[in-house]
Amino acid sequence: MSEEHFEEDEFTGAVDPNTLWRTAKLSLNHWPLMVTFLFSVVAVAIIENYQTFLSKRIIDEGIVPRDLEAVRSLAFQYFGITVLLAAFVAGFIISAAMISHWTQYDLRKSMFAKLQELSFTYYDRTPLGWLMSRMTSDVTRVGELVSWGFLDITWGITGITAAVVFMFIINWQLALIVLALIPILVVVAIQFQKLIISEYRVVRRTNSKITGSYSESINGVRVVKSLRREEKNLEEFQELTTEMFNAGFRAAWLSALFLPSVQMLTALGVAAVVWYGGFQYNQGWITIGTIQAFISYITFMLWPVQEMARVFASMQQAVASAERIFSLIDEEADIVNRPNAQKVEHIRGVIEFDHVDFRYEKDKPVLQDFSLTVEPGETIALVGPTGAGKSTVVNLLCRFYEPVSGQIRINGTDYQDLTLDSIHSRIGMVLQTPHLFSGTVLENIRYGRLDATDEETVAAARMAGAHDFITLLDDGYSTEVGEGGVLLSVGQKQLLSLARAILAQPDIFIMDEATSSVDTLTEALIQKAMDHIMSGRTSFVIAHRLSTIKRADRIIVLKDGRIDEIGSHAELIRQKGHYYNLYTKQFQKEAGGSIPNILA
Ligand SMILES: Nc1ncnc2c1ncn2[C@@H]1O[C@H](COP(=O)(O)OP(=O)(O)OP(=O)(O)O)[C@@H](O)[C@H]1O
Ligand SMILES: [Mg+2]
């Protein structure tokens, strides 16, 4: 995907009718609401105009001939339809709000489901920020279009039509004058709104850049200071704020000019009606109530025209939002179950990588001709320089990605003939930077197996050696860990992840060991937890600690996506190859410590 694809608010193309139709259909899913809504809106538009018609009659049939009886009965009618109007107004507000919320709910649900289903390859090429905007601002925009946007348009169209009909009923010559005014009003309003919205678009875009530069400066404050970037940053920042100020200023001016302009046009219409109507009145052709009614109709039309202009001008953006949402919903996952995929109950057999080739991007091979057979219960340590492909091996094993050629077999079956879900449920993984979810410590461990009881969860924490530090936390197991576990140290997070893996009782255990050093006590706890979980289980450890490496049954030295050396610690030392050099140069010096990028 190209960069531009992820640009925000740059959409200037025409509104695609297919997308518009698909967007409209979103609200049809809730058609009883839609029917209530349309019925109420149309009723409101008609009643509002009928009110004006009634006031004309009150003047002509009651006030002017001083007929109090007529005034009273017409006033009653007026009151009656006002109550009806109130009911319909409540009806359309509630149904529009419900449609808006339902649509947003539906969209969020479909998008979230899709995000859960999509493969890593999708996330590799899609920026997080892009996805977040789809889930938030785009959804809101589409929700508003299908409810309030449609409301404004329906109300506007029926309101203006009803007004025109009533005007023709009352006096066709005056009606023609007003009819000539409407297109001018509409064109002026839409042009203004377009200009205003494009300025606001600039404001929004610069605003998001400013937010970005705030957070970069704040997060990187130390680096900024040490590199003496302050002045340069300030300059860039000033440029952005000036741009935003100017756009905001232009938008304010346009808004300030907009309303008076439309009002002047309306006033022109009123003047024309009064002038020609006055002439007709003088001739005794029309009543005073007619002139009054026309003045009301003209001033009434101001609002629907304004609202419709706003909707039409912003429709382009809302449809663009819808388009982006649909593109996400329509995205096909790269890795899906084959039609006849089998469930795997347990992965207790041999795991084979058979001449596996893999690349993330075209023409950039990462693993080449990678073959490896792992016996049940074996512990494999993967070592190698950064970028050698260690994480890639375990990514493939977890089937987050699939081999480009070659096969990975589990229990003798090509794993592409097994269901994804059943593979994932048998693999326990502790990542280099363990991920915790916001929630309590207990909930976080329970992610390993959702149906585990509290007792089982605590038992897993004990086995992982996490129990002691947890009980020292303010609320023990009920302590909130903060978003991403920010309130815990790296070592603590690792212990919790290990507890999670222990609770899950997977058949295969995978650990991407952290290079950052933890204190000796935590280090010992982690080692113990790892021993516990690895015993009797097939394990893959991307190892940085000598203690882990030595304990493995076989060590695989990866280099440029190929197996460089393979064997136990003792064997590799005897071979006096790559591993031996490293061991003698680095490991002995740093024995027991953590050795980042040991083969670099
Ligand atoms: N998602 C990705 N998209 C594109 N290229 C990737 C992706 N992940 C890894 N690579 C590339 O694949 C190669 C192997 O990466 P991998 O993460 O397997 O290395 P590693 O051995 O785990 O390194 P480290 O020790 O730094 O974790 C690297 O050249 C890397 O740039
Ligand atoms: Mg890695």
Side-chain angles (χ1 to χ4, degrees), residues 377-381 549-555 567-569 571:
E378 223 187 339
T379 297
I380 301 288
I549 298 173
K550 272 173 130 170
R551 227 171 295 190
D553 297 308
R554 273 190 296 167
I555 300 160
S568 68
H569 175 73
E571 282 165 0

Side-chain angles (χ1 to χ4, degrees), residues 113-365:
K114 182 56 79 172
L115 288 180
Q116 305 272 302
E117 179 196 318
L118 285 172
S119 324
F120 278 27
T121 42
Y122 181 77
Y123 290 96
D124 287 346
R125 56 171 201 258
T126 315
L128 178 66
W130 189 86
L131 286 173
M132 295 300 270
S133 321
R134 299 304 70 79
M135 303 292 287
T136 53
S137 53
D138 276 350
V139 170
T140 319
R141 222 177 268 162
V142 172
E144 275 170 9
L145 175 71
V146 299
S147 53
W148 305 110
F150 285 176
L151 183 146
D152 281 333
I153 293 174
T154 331
W155 175 68
I157 292 175
T158 18
I160 292 174
T161 316
V164 169
V165 169
F166 277 112
M167 284 188 281
F168 271 98
I169 291 176
I170 302 173
N171 182 303
W172 67 269
Q173 290 103 327
L174 288 180
L176 281 180
I177 295 183
V178 183
L179 208 57
L181 178 72
I182 296 175
I184 307 176
L185 209 56
V186 169
V187 170
V188 169
I190 288 187
Q191 287 312 324
F192 258 111
Q193 289 290 1
K194 274 196 169 158
L195 289 174
I196 293 174
I197 282 177
S198 89
E199 293 300 343
Y200 274 127
R201 204 175 290 165
V202 177
V203 171
R204 246 202 324 274
R205 208 172 45 232
T206 29
N207 188 35
S208 74
K209 279 191 201 155
I210 287 174
T211 319
S213 94
Y214 273 148
S215 72
E216 281 206 337
S217 302
I218 295 170
N219 288 333
V221 64
R222 286 185 182 78
V223 184
V224 169
K225 287 212 182 298
S226 65
L227 295 179
R228 320 239 320 262
R229 283 260 318 170
E230 294 102 320
E231 210 149 291
K232 186 93 189 86
N233 282 5
L234 197 62
E235 243 170 60
E236 284 171 9
F237 189 76
Q238 226 146 27
E239 260 168 46
L240 282 176
T241 37
T242 312
E243 195 181 336
M244 180 159 147
F245 177 86
N246 288 339
F249 191 70
R250 285 192 299 269
W253 260 109
L254 286 167
S255 305
L257 287 175
F258 174 49
L259 197 59
S261 310
V262 196
Q263 274 172 334
M264 263 174 44
L265 275 175
T266 336
L268 271 179
V270 171
V273 161
V274 172
W275 174 71
Y276 189 63
F279 163 74
Q280 286 190 320
Y281 178 75
N282 246 350
Q283 303 290 320
W285 296 341
I286 60 168
T287 61
I288 194 83
T290 301
I291 297 183
Q292 189 275 335
F294 269 84
I295 294 175
S296 302
Y297 281 126
I298 296 175
T299 21
F300 161 80
M301 278 192 312
L302 188 65
W303 303 111
V305 166
Q306 269 193 60
E307 287 302 301
M308 286 201 309
R310 201 180 47 78
V311 176
F312 279 122
S314 60
M315 178 146 14
Q316 206 179 37
Q317 260 187 305
V319 173
S321 292
E323 211 162 71
R324 289 188 293 242
I325 291 175
F326 294 144
S327 85
L328 171 60
I329 293 177
D330 296 341
E331 190 73 40
E332 303 251 352
D334 290 329
I335 300 178
V336 288
N337 285 328
R338 284 186 179 171
N340 293 318
Q342 302 282 313
K343 259 182 89 163
V344 58
E345 287 302 327
H346 279 289
I347 306 180
R348 298 226 168 106
V350 177
I351 295 169
E352 295 157 280
F353 287 77
D354 186 1
H355 300 285
V356 169
D357 285 336
F358 180 75
R359 55 174 179 253
Y360 293 97
E361 291 161 44
K362 271 206 173 68
D363 306 324
K364 283 192 199 156

Side-chain angles (χ1 to χ4, degrees), residues 505-570:
Q505 294 288 326
D507 295 327
I508 298 179
F509 174 69
I510 293 172
M511 174 138 180
D512 207 338
E513 235 182 20
T515 43
S516 58
S517 43
V518 291
D519 61 275
T520 7
L521 178 69
T522 316
E523 168 90 36
L525 286 173
I526 292 174
Q527 281 303 332
K528 230 175 101 190
M530 279 172 68
D531 282 348
H532 182 92
I533 190 165
M534 292 194 306
S535 79
R537 224 171 239 129
T538 315
S539 310
F540 292 79
V541 187
I542 296 174
H544 299 285
R545 298 183 183 104
L546 181 61
S547 47
T548 321
I549 298 173
K550 272 173 130 170
R551 227 171 295 190
D553 297 308
R554 273 190 296 167
I555 300 160
I556 292 175
V557 183
L558 267 184
K559 222 179 155 216
D560 300 330
R562 291 174 191 276
I563 296 179
D564 191 46
E565 284 173 25
I566 183 165
S568 68
H569 175 73

Side-chain angles (χ1 to χ4, degrees), residues 385-392 394-395 432 512-513 542 544:
T386 180
K390 305 179 294 291
S391 302
T392 306
V394 298
N395 280 341
Q432 204 158 11
D512 207 338
E513 235 182 20
I542 296 174
H544 299 285

